[in-house]
Amino acid sequence: MNTPDLGVTIGIKKLPNPVGVASGTFGYGSEYESLMDLSILGALYTKAITLLPRGGNEIPRIIETPSGILNAIGLANVGVDVFVRDKLPFLRTLSSPIIANVAGSIEEEYIAVVEKLESFSGISGYEINISCPNVKHGGLSFGTDPAMVESLTGKLRAKTKLPLIIKLTPNVTDIAVIAKAAEAGGADAVSCINTLIGMVIDTKQKKIVLANKTGGLSGPAIRPIAVAMTYKVARSIQIPVIGIGGIMTADDALQFLLAGASAIQVGTGTFVDPSIPKQVHDGIMAYALCNKLTCIEDFHEFLP
Amino acid sequence: MNTPDLGVTIGIKKLPNPVGVASGTFGYGSEYESLMDLSILGALYTKAITLLPRGGNEIPRIIETPSGILNAIGLANVGVDVFVRDKLPFLRTLSSPIIANVAGSIEEEYIAVVEKLESFSGISGYEINISCPNVKHGGLSFGTDPAMVESLTGKLRAKTKLPLIIKLTPNVTDIAVIAKAAEAGGADAVSCINTLIGMVIDTKQKKIVLANKTGGLSGPAIRPIAVAMTYKVARSIQIPVIGIGGIMTADDALQFLLAGASAIQVGTGTFVDPSIPKQVHDGIMAYALCNKLTCIEDFHEFLP
Amino acid sequence: MKQTNTTIISNIPLCPDWFELTFTWDILSGIPMPGQFLTIRIVNQTSPLLRRPFAFSWFDRASSQASIIYQRRGPATALLAGLRTGDTLDCIGPLGNGFEPFISQKSIIAVAGGIGIGPMAFFARTENNNARPIQFVYGCRTASMIPATSWFDDLKTIVCTDDGSVGFKGTTGDYLRSLPANRYSLYDLFCCGPTPMLASCARFAQENNVTCIVSVEQVMACGVGACMGCVVKTIDGFVRSCKDGPVFNAQKLMWES
Amino acid sequence: MKQTNTTIISNIPLCPDWFELTFTWDILSGIPMPGQFLTIRIVNQTSPLLRRPFAFSWFDRASSQASIIYQRRGPATALLAGLRTGDTLDCIGPLGNGFEPFISQKSIIAVAGGIGIGPMAFFARTENNNARPIQFVYGCRTASMIPATSWFDDLKTIVCTDDGSVGFKGTTGDYLRSLPANRYSLYDLFCCGPTPMLASCARFAQENNVTCIVSVEQVMACGVGACMGCVVKTIDGFVRSCKDGPVFNAQKLMWES
Ligand SMILES: Cc1cc2nc3c(=O)[nH]c(=O)nc-3n(C[C@H](O)[C@H](O)[C@H](O)COP(=O)(O)OP(=O)(O)OC[C@H]3O[C@@H](n4cnc5c(N)ncnc54)[C@H](O)[C@@H]3O)c2cc1C
Ligand SMILES: Cc1cc2nc3c(=O)[nH]c(=O)nc-3n(C[C@H](O)[C@H](O)[C@H](O)COP(=O)(O)OP(=O)(O)OC[C@H]3O[C@@H](n4cnc5c(N)ncnc54)[C@H](O)[C@@H]3O)c2cc1C
Ligand SMILES: Cc1cc2nc3c(=O)[nH]c(=O)nc-3n(C[C@H](O)[C@H](O)[C@H](O)COP(=O)(O)O)c2cc1C
Ligand SMILES: Cc1cc2nc3c(=O)[nH]c(=O)nc-3n(C[C@H](O)[C@H](O)[C@H](O)COP(=O)(O)O)c2cc1C
Ligand code: FES
Ligand code: FES
């Protein structure tokens, strides 16, 4: 039997395989170069890119929790100009598609970042991080309001023909409503999910561990939540869903694919073992072969 | 130094200490009688009580997840009449306050259950499980809509002088909004949190593990989320907050108390080790002594 | 039934991935009966989280020692396999209802499939000393899955292997059906093993009007009857396998078609 | 820097809750330098989840064996303490920048506090063979926390104990301040230990215009520079302690007041 073609079409591009590495967990690619074969990646999602450089949150920024980690890195990044100058050249040398994760505090910031990036080659698409607070709307996260999501998506859509992926926040009552708003705004896909809001308190010192107070919970702890949301979102929209949350093994990734995701991202898992993206990739391939699945859509046939 | 008085006033009653056992994890009390000293409990929250007996969901109902469990028991319970006849007599023999956890599919069902229970002695208060779907509102969970929460709380308030505790669902965009609605409706306290919606897929069998498809995620995995929500809710309302979610140790419980909770509940932890409620109780007492905290309010002084 | 820290006496491999764990058992916790089980918290960590249920495979009153036979399947049993003599074990038990050898003149056929061997051998070895004749039927995939123990010496045993590598070739259900039909009425059946095996035995029993007692396996959260997580469907609705079972009359159970 | 499965040679207690772990180290992964570290994934489970960083305490080129000295503190180090000769260890390293003995005519004072002894002893023992005179200062709470090793034999060592049970009574910072002030200009300081100790040494160095190199400790998620989780505040903003450190010139760091 031939190797199945598990390429994933998102908008005008095709990712060579469904296994990506999640934004914020892979830097700008170079850090993991000596630890893994970057060419096996179906997509590399950059750390969030904002218009200006940002230092990120105060420290501490990381604390481990049961089967998870809580992070409050903030949008620590070099800013779009330095990204283009210092990071993009290395990323261009990779064979895998590079998806720029874009963040901002107001709509105009997202738009400006995408506009800047449009004039450079080497970017295969945009993943829009809508978990950020909208400072014009009292700091309410963009991603919690369907109107804000549809508006932002529409404006970004007007700026680019490249794949436009809206990254959903799980901290909402009904994630399907937000996914539909992204679809209505013209998104090519949604990523599902970003981190859940959490807090850890140091009872000895009687203070909150993270300087930012709350952080984003990721890792295996949130996987069942992410699978449930992926299942729901995949049944609410027509565009592809990219499943994210606690993937450590091929079996975990397959849960998302069976639930309706067309691709997945490994985040925290890469920290724990940099060989996980490849293990997941190989495990999905083996599963496809063994179950005679020839394309990603075949994974979606089993569940109601 | 004297033993601190960590009693917790909720409406017209005082719980002798902050450590309760969570609804659905302790049956109607008798199952754990031979495994622990029930008299140390600050409160015993019954399994959900509905108007008529309910069989609950199909099986399987339980699956373990990383540092958590996913359950879809449903509202399996004997119904209010059998509860009063068969379960309440044993519960009355206990020295700890019994809080009836009340559930329903329409407002009228909750009201009918509370009305029935009002005519019997032995119940110290009600915890209202608003995670249930409201069948008159297209199955939307009561607890996701502030208007439904305020209306339901108000109607129940009219029926009882006993402590009325609204148990919040975490599956919402802003849990503080729901907590405020409960307060506005006349609740004496809120419980924070019920389980998060999750799903596990068996990739070998290519089917969803739980017969109900989704289940409620509980256990240590969700603790950081529960602490963050408790912190937020405690800063949004004046009435006491009862912290719940993944408590396995006194340290875990103390995180909730420092975050602003006035009491806590142990749920999944009791399954794992029935001595946890007592360990938590003793650990909180030791912490109070060691830090010279004389009442529950003293725990709330440390965090901003 | 009590929660106690017991001490491991031995943890011995029986065949690939199978172990016999023996530990101290205080009779003040109750005397384990065949078919009853205990739950073990294997690590003081959050993953694996839940206690794991295992059926008693023996209790020796003289030495106050109990045993289980377990198979290494996932995280909890892998950790269990790493424990050594002298380690302590957080146990709750004895739990559930065992195989009660109800009053009957008939002979007993005790059918065990795979890792169901523990409770069934306990039952058979216990009954072996009593008046009713007993036949032990053990089914497994292949000869290498026959545990290295001496019990078979004392028991009248038929081994069934799927591949025929030893004993009767076929399942335990096939074996039962191979018995002379006119003798069915002389037996009572007791069974423990994988659900398809139990279903097959139950079908056989129903078709031939034989009493059939089975021990079922469900994922358990509390193990003590508090959570309603482990229910099985019976003609009387859902009942808890941990508290009302795990031993049931097969007739009472609704078998999936 | 590589990810490799190494094999444990020994895992020996040094003093209460302290262990020295020695394992094979393939030089194709890189040659560990004093101050560099590795990250270890201790169990193939989800809790504890993250890899844990440990500084190299020795590398023996001839035998291709590396060591760390670790303290049992929480779940990961408790599991580490249970590992035995022959077990494998998933390691990534060498990581970070070590103590580079920059060109200088001065003598070296190598200050270690508590479990900071591993990398500092590695540095001191390495430098001991070089031209610059080196003095090793080790601070701990009490005499029982002095590890049972032979390194002290070769090194010119001052032990400081908080309770004065052995050696100098006071902290390592107190010891530095007890030196004749007119000799301060003859030393370069290298320090590893708890943050308050580092801060005290840095303050001493700044007040007296002494070069002070410190190794800092931050919670790490990736350990390889990808996540920005382990940053420390410097005069140039936040920098990653895993990739740009963990060794820094104390002058560059913003010390909390
Ligand atoms: C009443 C009863 C008696 C049992 N007796 C034995 C016995 O004598 N010997 C033996 O080897 N096994 C026995 N089991 C099964 C045993 O409990 C599982 O093999 C064990 O829980 C597996 O845990 P794990 O972490 O190794 O594997 P996992 O990978 O977690 O699970 C493997 C399988 O074990 C079962 N399982 C997992 N968690 C639970 C749970 N909390 N409760 C029940 N089943 C679970 C599920 O079928 C699961 O698919 C019994 C189960 C029950 C309910
Ligand atoms: C560069 C560096 C070098 C280190 N060298 C040594 C050494 O040589 N010997 C030694 O005993 N310890 C060393 N540590 C500390 C060691 O990493 C922690 O003791 C270990 O991670 C504790 O894990 P645990 O699960 O046992 O304890 P936990 O209970 O999880 O944590 C105890 C403490 O360890 C620290 N810690 C926990 N997780 C991490 C993490 N992911 N990254 C960093 N620190 C963490 C925190 O301060 C925490 O409060 C070093 C740390 C760093 C950053
Ligand atoms: C340290 C860290 C930094 C992250 N930074 C970003 C980010 O900049 N932009 C973004 O969209 N998501 C970010 N995320 C979220 C991840 O991309 C991913 O959605 C989340 O971690 C869940 O996946 P996981 O459980 O596999 O880690 C970050 C996550 C972590 C752990
Ligand atoms: C098996 C099970 C059954 C539950 N049944 C109920 C219920 O009937 N009513 C209710 O309000 N909460 C119910 N809950 C939720 C718990 O009371 C608690 O809010 C939740 O499990 C989080 O706490 P934990 O992490 O300590 O378990 C149930 C939880 C579990 C695990
Ligand atoms: S496992 Fe909880 S009722 Fe049986
Ligand atoms: S630990 Fe990730 S950048 Fe240092």
Side-chain angles (χ1 to χ4, degrees):
Chain A
M1 200 176 148
N2 292 336
T3 324
D5 176 6
L6 300 187
V8 184
T9 302
I10 299 195
I12 60 166
K13 294 267 178 180
K14 187 166 173 181
L15 310 179
N17 73 63
V19 182
V21 282
S23 174
T25 65
F26 214 74
Y28 303 102
S30 58
E31 289 80 6
Y32 279 107
E33 203 190 2
S34 58
L35 289 170
M36 58 187 281
D37 174 7
L38 298 180
S39 74
I40 63 108
L41 296 178
L44 189 161
Y45 299 78
T46 69
K47 174 69 189 168
I49 302 169
T50 53
L51 192 55
L52 299 177
R54 299 206 192 180
N57 292 321
E58 290 297 317
I59 58 173
R61 293 180 170 184
I62 298 269
I63 174 84
E64 184 162 325
T65 69
S67 298
I69 67 175
L70 200 63
N71 92 79
I73 310 295
L75 295 176
N77 83 105
V78 294
V80 67
D81 291 329
V82 178
F83 169 77
V84 166
R85 193 191 66 201
D86 293 352
K87 308 295 179 182
L88 195 51
F90 172 79
L91 290 169
R92 267 197 211 106
T93 67
L94 305 178
S95 59
S96 301
I98 307 302
I99 311 287
N101 183 276
V102 177
S105 303
I106 51 174
E107 280 193 341
E108 291 76 5
E109 184 173 0
Y110 287 94
I111 296 167
V113 173
V114 169
E115 275 182 333
K116 287 228 179 194
L117 291 174
E118 278 290 292
S119 49
F120 296 90
S121 70
I123 304 268
S124 292
Y126 304 98
E127 183 183 51
I128 310 303
N129 176 352
I130 56 171
S131 297
C132 316
N134 184 338
V135 296
K136 282 206 187 149
H137 279 69
L140 187 69
S141 155
F142 282 94
T144 59
D145 180 49
M148 287 201 287
V149 171
E150 186 169 344
S151 160
L152 178 62
T153 309
K155 287 177 185 161
L156 295 173
R157 179 74 292 170
K159 298 292 171 193
T160 183
K161 295 202 159 41
L162 289 177
L164 181 62
I165 305 164
I166 304 298
K167 184 162 179 183
L168 305 175
T169 166
N171 303 294
V172 294
T173 305
D174 187 353
I175 197 167
V177 169
I178 310 294
K180 282 182 202 154
E183 184 177 41
D188 294 310
V190 296
S191 293
C192 177
I193 57 178
N194 214 313
T195 54
L196 284 123
I197 297 168
M199 179 184 279
V200 174
I201 293 169
D202 181 332
T203 63
K204 271 144 224 94
Q205 305 217 34
K206 304 188 188 66
K207 55 179 217 185
I208 299 172
V209 171
L210 299 182
N212 187 53
K213 295 188 185 168
T214 58
L217 185 64
S218 65
I222 70 166
R223 193 197 315 135
I225 300 170
V227 170
M229 289 187 167
T230 297
Y231 182 86
K232 187 173 186 185
V233 166
R235 277 150 191 75
S236 313
I237 56 176
Q238 304 303 316
I239 53 176
V241 182
I242 302 166
I244 321 173
I247 295 176
M248 305 291 290
T249 65
D251 188 78
D252 299 343
L254 288 164
Q255 290 195 46
F256 285 90
L257 296 179
L258 294 184
S262 298
I264 59 92
Q265 297 176 23
V266 178
T268 302
T270 305
F271 298 162
V272 175
D273 181 351
S275 72
I276 287 179
K278 178 160 164 53
Q279 284 177 32
V280 168
H281 171 273
D282 294 353
I284 292 174
M285 285 296 163
Y287 186 89
L289 271 175
C290 164
N291 290 282
K292 303 198 172 41
L293 310 178
T294 57
C295 63
I296 280 293
E297 290 68 33
D298 285 355
F299 288 77
H300 302 160
E301 298 303 316
F302 301 105
L303 300 190
Chain B
M1 196 175 150
N2 292 335
T3 324
D5 176 5
L6 300 187
V8 184
T9 302
I10 298 194
I12 61 167
K13 294 269 179 180
K14 188 167 171 180
L15 310 179
N17 73 63
V19 183
V21 282
S23 174
T25 65
F26 215 75
Y28 304 102
S30 59
E31 287 81 4
Y32 278 107
E33 205 190 1
S34 57
L35 289 170
M36 60 185 282
D37 175 7
L38 298 181
S39 76
I40 63 109
L41 297 178
L44 188 161
Y45 299 78
T46 69
K47 174 68 191 168
I49 303 170
T50 53
L51 192 55
L52 300 177
R54 298 206 193 178
N57 291 324
E58 290 298 316
I59 57 173
R61 291 179 171 184
I62 299 267
I63 174 86
E64 184 163 324
T65 69
S67 296
I69 66 174
L70 199 65
N71 91 79
I73 309 295
L75 297 174
N77 85 104
V78 295
V80 67
D81 291 328
V82 178
F83 169 77
V84 166
R85 192 191 68 199
D86 293 352
K87 308 296 180 181
L88 195 51
F90 171 79
L91 290 169
R92 268 198 209 102
T93 67
L94 305 179
S95 60
S96 302
I98 307 302
I99 311 287
N101 182 275
V102 177
S105 304
I106 51 174
E107 279 193 341
E108 292 74 7
E109 183 172 0
Y110 287 92
I111 295 167
V113 172
V114 169
E115 273 182 333
K116 288 228 179 193
L117 292 173
E118 278 291 291
S119 50
F120 297 91
S121 69
I123 304 271
S124 291
Y126 304 99
E127 183 183 52
I128 310 303
N129 176 353
I130 56 170
S131 298
C132 315
N134 184 339
V135 297
K136 280 204 187 151
H137 279 69
L140 188 69
S141 155
F142 283 94
T144 59
D145 180 49
M148 289 202 284
V149 171
E150 185 169 344
S151 160
L152 178 62
T153 311
K155 288 179 185 162
L156 295 173
R157 180 74 292 170
K159 300 292 173 190
T160 183
K161 296 201 158 40
L162 288 176
L164 182 63
I165 305 164
I166 304 297
K167 183 163 181 181
L168 305 175
T169 165
N171 302 296
V172 294
T173 305
D174 188 352
I175 197 166
V177 170
I178 310 293
K180 283 181 200 156
E183 185 177 41
D188 294 309
V190 296
S191 293
C192 177
I193 57 178
N194 213 316
T195 52
L196 284 123
I197 297 168
M199 179 183 281
V200 173
I201 293 169
D202 181 332
T203 62
K204 270 146 224 91
Q205 305 217 33
K206 303 189 190 65
K207 54 180 217 184
I208 298 171
V209 171
L210 299 182
N212 188 52
K213 293 188 186 169
T214 60
L217 185 65
S218 65
I222 69 167
R223 193 199 313 133
I225 300 170
V227 170
M229 289 188 167
T230 297
Y231 182 86
K232 186 173 189 186
V233 166
R235 276 147 192 80
S236 313
I237 56 175
Q238 306 303 316
I239 53 176
V241 181
I242 302 167
I244 322 173
I247 295 176
M248 304 291 289
T249 65
D251 187 79
D252 299 343
L254 288 164
Q255 290 196 46
F256 286 90
L257 296 179
L258 295 184
S262 297
I264 59 93
Q265 297 176 24
V266 178
T268 303
T270 306
F271 298 160
V272 175
D273 180 351
S275 72
I276 286 178
K278 179 163 163 50
Q279 286 177 32
V280 168
H281 172 272
D282 295 353
I284 292 173
M285 286 296 164
Y287 186 88
L289 272 173
C290 164
N291 290 283
K292 304 199 171 39
L293 310 178
T294 58
C295 63
I296 280 294
E297 289 70 33
D298 285 355
F299 288 76
H300 302 161
E301 298 303 316
F302 300 106
L303 300 190
Chain C
M1 178 257 289
K2 288 235 165 54
Q3 180 177 20
T4 37
N5 278 324
T6 63
T7 305
I8 294 180
I9 308 284
S10 63
N11 193 7
I12 303 167
L14 293 183
C15 57
D17 284 328
W18 285 26
F19 301 83
E20 181 177 38
L21 181 81
T22 302
F23 44 94
T24 57
W25 189 264
D26 186 343
I27 57 163
L28 292 179
S29 302
I31 294 171
M33 306 299 277
Q36 285 192 303
F37 66 96
L38 81 172
T39 61
I40 305 182
R41 184 179 189 197
I42 291 159
V43 280
N44 193 1
Q45 281 172 23
T46 63
S47 189
L49 183 65
L50 290 173
R51 307 179 76 84
R52 295 295 200 267
F54 299 94
F56 288 99
S57 63
W58 191 240
F59 174 62
D60 184 69
R61 213 161 174 155
S63 62
S64 267
Q65 294 181 0
S67 304
I68 62 170
I69 295 177
Y70 67 94
Q71 183 181 12
R72 181 160 48 196
R73 292 169 82 180
T77 48
L79 288 163
L80 201 52
L83 297 183
R84 283 166 285 173
T85 305
D87 287 348
T88 56
L89 216 52
D90 168 359
C91 296
I92 298 180
L95 295 165
N97 302 316
F99 296 105
E100 305 212 2
F102 51 90
I103 312 284
S104 158
Q105 309 302 329
K106 302 186 179 178
S107 330
I108 291 174
I109 302 186
V111 184
I115 198 71
I117 195 169
M120 222 59 236
F122 187 9
F123 174 70
R125 290 167 72 199
T126 306
E127 287 307 306
N128 213 17
N129 305 322
N130 296 342
R132 292 168 67 184
I134 182 159
Q135 157 118 46
F136 189 64
V137 180
Y138 172 61
C140 59
R141 237 171 307 135
T142 183
S144 69
M145 290 176 69
I146 301 174
T149 72
S150 56
W151 320 321
F152 295 127
D153 306 350
D154 307 331
L155 286 173
K156 203 178 138 218
T157 304
I158 299 286
V159 172
C160 309
T161 52
D162 293 351
D163 64 359
S165 49
V166 67
F168 178 87
K169 179 176 162 109
T171 67
T172 52
D174 296 338
Y175 172 75
L176 294 176
R177 289 186 176 80
S178 78
L179 298 174
N182 60 358
R183 295 182 56 81
Y184 290 165
S185 61
L186 307 179
Y187 302 123
D188 292 325
L189 272 184
F190 289 78
C191 315
C192 182
T195 307
M197 179 201 108
L198 298 183
S200 164
C201 292
R203 215 164 34 240
F204 165 82
Q206 201 193 8
E207 286 160 10
N208 299 291
N209 207 20
V210 173
T211 301
C212 177
I213 309 294
V214 297
S215 177
V216 301
E217 208 181 297
Q218 285 290 320
V219 174
M220 294 182 176
C222 72
V224 298
C227 75
M228 306 301 285
C230 66
V231 296
V232 286
K233 218 172 196 167
T234 71
I235 50 176
D236 306 320
F238 285 121
V239 304
R240 300 164 300 182
S241 63
C242 68
K243 185 93 174 183
D244 308 312
V247 173
F248 293 99
N249 189 315
Q251 263 192 327
K252 295 262 178 189
L253 297 173
M254 311 276 276
W255 298 93
E256 304 271 298
S257 48
Chain D
M1 179 255 291
K2 288 236 164 58
Q3 179 175 21
T4 38
N5 278 324
T6 62
T7 305
I8 295 181
I9 308 283
S10 63
N11 192 6
I12 302 166
L14 293 184
C15 59
D17 283 330
W18 285 25
F19 301 83
E20 181 179 39
L21 181 79
T22 301
F23 44 94
T24 57
W25 189 263
D26 187 341
I27 56 163
L28 292 179
S29 303
I31 293 171
M33 306 300 278
Q36 287 192 300
F37 64 97
L38 80 172
T39 60
I40 305 182
R41 185 181 188 194
I42 292 159
V43 280
N44 192 1
Q45 280 171 26
T46 63
S47 189
L49 182 66
L50 290 173
R51 309 179 75 83
R52 295 295 200 266
F54 299 94
F56 287 99
S57 64
W58 191 240
F59 174 63
D60 184 69
R61 213 161 172 154
S63 62
S64 267
Q65 294 182 1
S67 304
I68 61 171
I69 296 177
Y70 67 95
Q71 183 181 13
R72 181 159 48 197
R73 293 169 81 180
T77 47
L79 288 164
L80 201 52
L83 296 184
R84 284 166 284 173
T85 304
D87 287 347
T88 56
L89 216 51
D90 168 359
C91 296
I92 297 179
L95 294 166
N97 301 317
F99 296 105
E100 303 214 1
F102 51 91
I103 311 287
S104 157
Q105 309 301 330
K106 302 188 179 179
S107 329
I108 291 173
I109 303 188
V111 185
I115 198 72
I117 195 168
M120 222 58 237
F122 186 8
F123 175 68
R125 292 169 71 199
T126 306
E127 287 307 306
N128 212 18
N129 304 322
N130 296 341
R132 293 168 65 184
I134 182 158
Q135 155 120 49
F136 188 65
V137 180
Y138 173 61
C140 59
R141 240 172 303 133
T142 184
S144 68
M145 287 176 68
I146 301 174
T149 73
S150 55
W151 320 320
F152 295 126
D153 305 351
D154 306 330
L155 287 173
K156 203 177 137 220
T157 305
I158 299 285
V159 173
C160 309
T161 53
D162 293 351
D163 64 359
S165 50
V166 68
F168 178 87
K169 180 176 159 109
T171 66
T172 51
D174 297 339
Y175 171 74
L176 293 177
R177 289 185 175 78
S178 78
L179 296 174
N182 60 357
R183 296 182 55 82
Y184 290 167
S185 62
L186 306 179
Y187 302 124
D188 292 325
L189 272 184
F190 289 80
C191 314
C192 182
T195 307
M197 180 202 107
L198 297 185
S200 165
C201 293
R203 215 163 35 241
F204 165 81
Q206 201 192 10
E207 286 161 9
N208 299 289
N209 207 19
V210 171
T211 300
C212 178
I213 309 294
V214 297
S215 177
V216 302
E217 209 181 297
Q218 285 292 321
V219 174
M220 294 181 176
C222 72
V224 298
C227 76
M228 306 300 284
C230 66
V231 297
V232 287
K233 220 176 195 164
T234 71
I235 51 176
D236 307 319
F238 286 121
V239 304
R240 299 163 301 181
S241 64
C242 67
K243 184 93 176 182
D244 308 311
V247 172
F248 293 98
N249 189 318
Q251 263 191 326
K252 296 262 180 191
L253 296 173
M254 312 276 278
W255 298 93
E256 305 270 299
S257 49

